[in-house]
Amino acid sequence: MSFRFAPADVFETRHNAPDPADQQQMLQTIGVESLEQLIAETVPAGIRLPEALQLPPAQSERRFLRSFKQLTGQNKVYKSYIGLGYHDTTLPPVIQRNILENPGWYTAYTPYQAEIAQGRLEALINYQTLIIDLTGLPIANASLLDEGTAAAEALHMLHAQTKKKPATKFFVSEQVLPQTIDVLRTRATPLGIELVVGDHRTADLADPALFGAMVQYPGADGEIFDYKEFIEQAHQNGLYVIMAADLLALTLLTSPGELGADVCVGSSQRFGVPMGFGGPHAGFFSTKDEFKRFLPGRIIGQSIDAAGNKAYRMALQTREQHIRREKATSNICTAQVLLSVLAGMFAVYHGPKGIRQFAVNTHLLAQQLEAGLKALGVPQLNESYFDTLALRLESHELQQALKAEAESAGINFRYYGENMVGISLSQNTEADDVQDILDLFAKVLGKEEQTPAAPEATADYAPKWPESLHRRSEYLTHPVFNTHHAEHELLRYMKQLENKDLSLAHSMIPLGSCTMKLNATAEMIPVTWPEIGQLHPFAPADQTLGYQELFRNLQAWLCQVTGFAAVSLQPNSGAQGEYAGLLAIRGYHEGRGEGHRTVALIPASAHGTNPASAVMAGMQVVVVKSTEDGNIDVEDLKTKAAQHADHLSCLMVTYPSTHGVYEETIKEICAVIHQHGGRVYMDGANMNAQVGLTSPASIGADVCHLNLHKTFCIPHGGGGPGVGPIGVVEDLIPYLPGHVVVPVEGRASGAVSAAPWGSASILPISYAYISMMGGDGLTRATELAILNANYIKARLDGHYPVLYAGANGRCAHEMILDCRQFKKAGVEVEDIAKRLMDYGFHAPTVSFPVAGTLMVEPTESESRAELDRFCDAMIAIRQEIAAVEDGRADQKNNVLKHAPHTAAVVLTEAWDRPYTREQAVYPLPYVRDAKFWPSVSRIDSAYGDRNLICSCTPLEEYADEPEQLVATDKGPSY
Ligand SMILES: *Cc1c(COP(=O)(O)O)cnc(C)c1O
């Protein structure tokens, strides 16, 4: 017997699933000798990188977690009273472990396949109900990216809806959060809207160019204004009004709806979501009924299923950009589903009374603090306040002395102006904390302190705001918010919802373009560490050294992977990255005195967010044709580039193409654009086919976004969060996003997200992935993604035609299965998608980029066994289709049309279908071992679109609206 020493716990083999023996067999099935040969036949030689990626050597999971603990140990977790939209909060441990740390929730996809997503759809309906109730407006969406972008979306929506002409000015109160104003300004400029920032009490609302106004409730410094009259006046002048509001304060304050606001926006962060150094958090958006067809983002609505039962699904708006393209007013795709689920569940657990008590306690401690400071002679300037005191010290020196003393005690306040100090209390503040703050002030002022009496449980206290703003309307009266208050009750409720949803914990989710790869547990673990979660985004830099090192390394690694000179981590979704990248291009042209360059060429096959982002960046979209075989029509591109040469801003191109092919002509395409003075924007959603083999910069792109929630392992969270960093070439660096509160040197551009580093607290996931894979592992991931895709292609050969392939008949990391020929037999692509549920699979991407097709992307993280199960299911479904085609099965009454089958349907006494119950629910042997039961039958989407109900409402309360929306519901779903 002899032994050899070798690494025993290699992460790469956990992530890259096919083992060497399987790889060999798969290569045989494909008909190639080796992986090298397959890659050589797939990726054009002309775009291959000459060198291997230069990244640190791969670490094991154990080593990574140990070293990362050290890195994050440089972050200092201080008590934060900074406020400005970010507050301490406590995520109940039962929610943390069973949702935030649970792959059953975080690995799910956006709920396009509603029948296997009823759990998170219900959780999102709860969230929408929470927002509707607290804001007092009748309709809300299921989240936006953050408070700043929610405000920008509102601005855009109202601008599109106003009847005022010229509608070129928008008033913003100076009490709106500074980062929100920054994001608004970035958004307003390309649309030709001027922001007028000032005091709402003296604003000239009669200015004919104004079309809207925005105020903050309570204001950034903490003052609570009664905006009722302001809103009335604004309305009299034909203006729309946006109110940004604090959700916790709204439990005690008259709601924005009752004050007359047209739109209410804000952040639901303080409902249990850690500050996370800026994100991710769910931005909220609610509005009046008249805007319900124009709401940005995703709205969850009620509908009915084939059996007439209540069922949830995303309403039609969901597909807005994909259908309306350059006429869309919002580019929101990935949003903040997981964070909305957390906030909604926080409300379910605490109920209206519990949440109100948090607010009451916060307010009473603020009163106690004010009294104590008054006794110390510190004036407090807010006449009305909820949780935030505005304190004036005698001098700048005192302010700075307080800062030094506070920081040495591990406390952060907000310091502003010459001598102002802001203190925002939170759900987590206790009487001891008030004492500590008073001690600090006493010490700095050199005074004896008299402790004011802490609020007593037996005494009644009056709120510090006017009678007119005492909230009298009820909220959260629905049973869901009044039932699950015992931990067992909540635990079981959450589990019940989880069990209705198919996630990566069940089976592969082969979504083309969306790259549903492994979200390894070791990658996820740091996300809930306090050193990551409990930092305020505006904490002083010397407390955030761990984060800074993380950003620096991650940026350097992403530069290495993309070939770019710099990376901005600020955009918090892919679409937001597109927008930021296009703004960089816009800034570049303007910087050269060529601000007239505003034409964006976009191929017909582009993702819907591309044209929507281009319009947001103030560009005109010119569509470039595709050839018969799905490639960009180079002749048409040349013609259009020449035709628009004087005004050409950029080309937006996806690579490999959305058709799953490495176009050989890509370098030529980039060169043509450059020749005509344009820049190349690359949509990096398909980066999983590039890493280590080629790169955006080497191909000729100038900017590219990466979806870290696709290629770099951040889980989809059921539809968010995401991170969409952009990489740029040298001369675009000055135009990367900046930030008004945390400026970046040399960057004059405004912010695209509320927080300086966007969704900072989930960056450790991608950091971990790169650290544990190393350059070789990442490159192998790309190769195996290509292997897996080509294996599926080979196995389905003869069953489904594959649309488009490269020169050697190979696909890239994904492929399009053409299902249009089944229409003759009455079988739609949707029937296949729904039937896959009976086999325990989530459908591939439906009808993108070509209607009537399925786009399959297996990723490198699926083993051969799983790929085989999927192929077996697809082949079995093909046989079911054949039965309809040749008349053995009825065209309407068949196993495909009735899919998916619930337990209730197959357990009915009178089974009268022309197929057996076994065929319905156990169509292949493997299904028996791990049956996933859809909880509802096929959902009637059109019904739900006619009757848009987006809060918890019993079905009986439906009233069929006379207004009939043209709900074709034939848009893509991905
Ligand atoms: C996913 C995707 C996007 C949008 O990214 P989000 O993060 O969802 O905003 C853009 N383009 C393509 C091709 C995509 O697949």
Side-chain angles (χ1 to χ4, degrees), residues 333-334 513 573-575 578 607 609-610 654 683 685 705 707 709-710:
C333 182
T334 288
S513 210
S573 75
E578 293 171 18
H607 193 266
T609 53
N610 288 189
T654 306
D683 179 327
H705 80 255
N707 303 67
H709 47 299
K710 296 180 181 174

Side-chain angles (χ1 to χ4, degrees), residues 273-355:
V273 184
M275 288 186 286
F277 203 41
H281 317 125
F284 66 79
F285 188 115
S286 63
T287 187
K288 291 179 171 167
D289 216 46
E290 62 182 287
F291 299 114
K292 73 177 170 200
R293 303 288 180 208
F294 309 102
L295 224 65
R298 287 159 168 163
I299 305 169
I300 310 308
Q302 283 187 16
S303 189
I304 53 171
D305 75 354
N309 299 314
K310 181 165 102 175
Y312 304 110
R313 92 290 168 249
M314 293 197 286
L316 187 71
Q317 274 92 337
T318 305
R319 294 188 265 290
E320 196 213 37
Q321 321 106 35
H322 310 302
I323 295 166
R324 302 186 63 203
R325 303 200 62 96
E326 67 272 13
K327 289 181 199 72
T329 53
S330 163
N331 69 345
I332 292 292
C333 182
T334 288
Q336 302 284 21
V337 168
L338 193 66
L339 301 311
S340 313
V341 168
L342 294 178
M345 213 54 85
F346 180 93
V348 166
Y349 195 35
H350 292 299
K353 289 204 193 84
I355 287 170

Side-chain angles (χ1 to χ4, degrees), residues 221 369-383 385 388-395 398 416 419-423 441 445 447:
D221 297 340
L369 181 60
E370 184 192 32
L373 289 166
K374 195 171 173 189
L376 289 171
V378 182
Q380 198 285 117
L381 305 191
N382 290 333
E383 274 176 45
Y385 63 82
T388 302
L389 305 181
L391 305 160
R392 191 170 57 213
L393 297 180
E394 269 165 23
S395 67
L398 268 182
Y416 58 110
N419 53 352
M420 295 296 297
V421 179
I423 303 185
F441 273 82
L445 298 170
K447 291 194 179 163

